Amino acid sequence: MNTFKMNRRTLIGTGAAALTLAGLARGASAQSPIKVAGIYTVPVEQQWVSRLHLAAEAAKEQGMIEYTFAENTANTDYPRVMREYAEAGTQLIMGEIFGVEQEAREVAPDYPETAFLLGSSLPPDAGIANLSVFDNYIQDASFLSGIIAGAMTKSGKIGMVGGFPIPEVNRLMNAFMAGVRETRPDATFQISFIGSWFDPPKAKETAFAMIEAGADVMYAERFGVSDAAKEKGVLAIGNVIDTQKDYPDTVVASALWNFSPTLAAALEKVTAGTFAAEDYGIYSTMPKGGCSLAPLGTFEGKVPGEAMTLVAEREAAIKDGSFKVEVNDAEPKAS
């Protein structure tokens, strides 16, 4: 297995992750650390997986868990790695099984003493009691970032580059587009999927084509898009992580995912012996602290005031439950 130490990683948001887990850490201080393993099909620098890894590292630093991980795990190897970790006495295995759904669900029943918390497009199966699913339901924050994008575009043309048209990508794109229409009802969208979770050069080239076609704001669902926006002098909206410091003249806003509420809920149930087949998607929502809009950084004061007032109003309404962002998992359509 391919394990690495955190000191060669540069990830964002450790403070938020630590705060989310602090209460659980205090309550579990008398417990032995839970043995946790992560199985990832991409490098831990990749946006989506970085959030899982960051939350686990925060829990490890607080003494709540022992943590090891395997990255760049091929789908064909995923079941084998699951078995190796389970047979080594791992209590909680987390990761993503979007490309290996059936195989992973065949492994889990063989290890009833191991809890599996896995990113999935499918619902939990009551017949596999030790496998829970989650996804990044951060459509609330994506919607708010869309409001800002609609206010910042001059051409009214938005480019959007995604990995694969699966529910966890589609719902964020659809929410973003709905937010754009709040401030720019006549906006048009170019949409493309690159068929990879981690191919920055391909994402960059796809973004270049959209910018050449008139897009002046890019939705960067994948790494590489913000690089293209920077080179061409247009704006970008980030997804899952905050890259504003890396692109201070390019990234206006980002929808952030905080995995710590999801992990904390799972650890609590593992500790209590109540882990069961459940959908943990709710813990990614804004009312649960699972997502937020990143600080504007260098764009503070540069976004029209009317748009920021609307963002504040919608955010408050999302948190108190009076406004619901639609969860639309259908593949988004270009204009």
Side-chain angles (χ1 to χ4, degrees), residues 20 26 36 70 107 115 124 162 171 181 196 226 293 314 319 324 335:
T20 305
R26 287 192 296 271
V36 176
V107 170
R171 75 175 65 102
R181 295 187 182 105
S196 173
S226 293
L293 191 65
R314 290 285 189 264
K319 288 180 176 179
K324 299 286 186 182
S335 301

Side-chain angles (χ1 to χ4, degrees), residues 33-249:
I34 295 171
K35 293 182 179 180
V36 176
I39 310 176
Y40 311 125
T41 62
V42 293
V44 294
E45 290 93 348
Q46 189 258 13
Q47 304 106 297
W48 198 94
V49 160
S50 74
R51 310 317 289 171
L52 280 65
H53 183 65
L54 185 62
E57 285 288 345
K60 176 183 175 181
E61 289 175 6
Q62 295 180 47
M64 297 165 54
I65 68 173
E66 296 177 5
Y67 173 58
T68 187
F69 65 95
E71 61 182 341
N72 292 315
T73 304
N75 285 338
T76 52
D77 284 339
Y78 209 98
R80 174 185 61 79
V81 179
M82 288 175 68
R83 291 184 183 280
E84 288 184 1
Y85 275 134
E87 290 171 8
T90 303
Q91 295 166 273
L92 174 66
I93 294 175
M94 64 184 201
E96 10 81 67
I97 57 170
F98 298 104
V100 64
E101 295 275 5
Q102 180 178 342
E103 296 88 343
R105 290 167 186 258
E106 290 173 354
V107 170
D110 292 341
Y111 302 95
E113 300 304 312
T114 302
F116 293 88
L117 179 66
L118 302 172
S120 171
S121 295
L122 301 179
D125 182 343
I128 310 175
N130 61 328
L131 192 157
S132 285
V133 300
F134 67 89
D135 212 337
N136 62 332
Y137 281 85
I138 65 169
Q139 64 279 345
D140 299 332
S142 296
F143 176 84
L144 298 181
S145 73
I147 291 175
I148 293 173
M152 295 299 285
T153 180
K154 295 178 181 179
S155 68
K157 296 179 179 180
I158 310 289
M160 305 180 69
V161 180
F164 293 91
I166 65 172
E168 71 101 11
V169 175
N170 296 343
R171 75 175 65 102
L172 306 189
M173 285 188 161
N174 283 318
F176 171 81
M177 294 165 72
V180 169
R181 295 187 182 105
E182 291 268 311
T183 46
R184 190 66 186 257
D186 64 341
T188 59
F189 301 91
Q190 302 174 61
I191 300 172
S192 184
F193 298 93
I194 63 172
S196 173
W197 292 130
F198 194 73
D199 191 344
K202 187 172 183 180
K204 186 176 181 179
E205 288 302 318
T206 303
F208 276 147
M210 293 180 176
I211 295 168
E212 290 297 323
D216 65 352
V217 175
M218 295 298 305
Y219 177 75
E221 200 271 329
R222 294 291 101 193
F223 277 158
V225 176
S226 293
D227 293 294
K230 179 181 178 181
E231 288 188 25
K232 294 296 184 179
V234 303
L235 302 177
I237 301 295
N239 179 59
V240 175
I241 63 175
D242 184 2
T243 58
Q244 217 279 321
K245 291 181 180 178
D246 298 318
Y247 305 92
D249 300 317

Side-chain angles (χ1 to χ4, degrees), residues 267-287:
L267 291 175
E268 184 175 7
K269 292 184 179 183
V270 170
T271 300
T274 58
F275 192 88
E278 297 180 62
D279 187 343
Y280 280 66
I282 186 67
Y283 296 104
S284 289
T285 63
M286 188 167 283

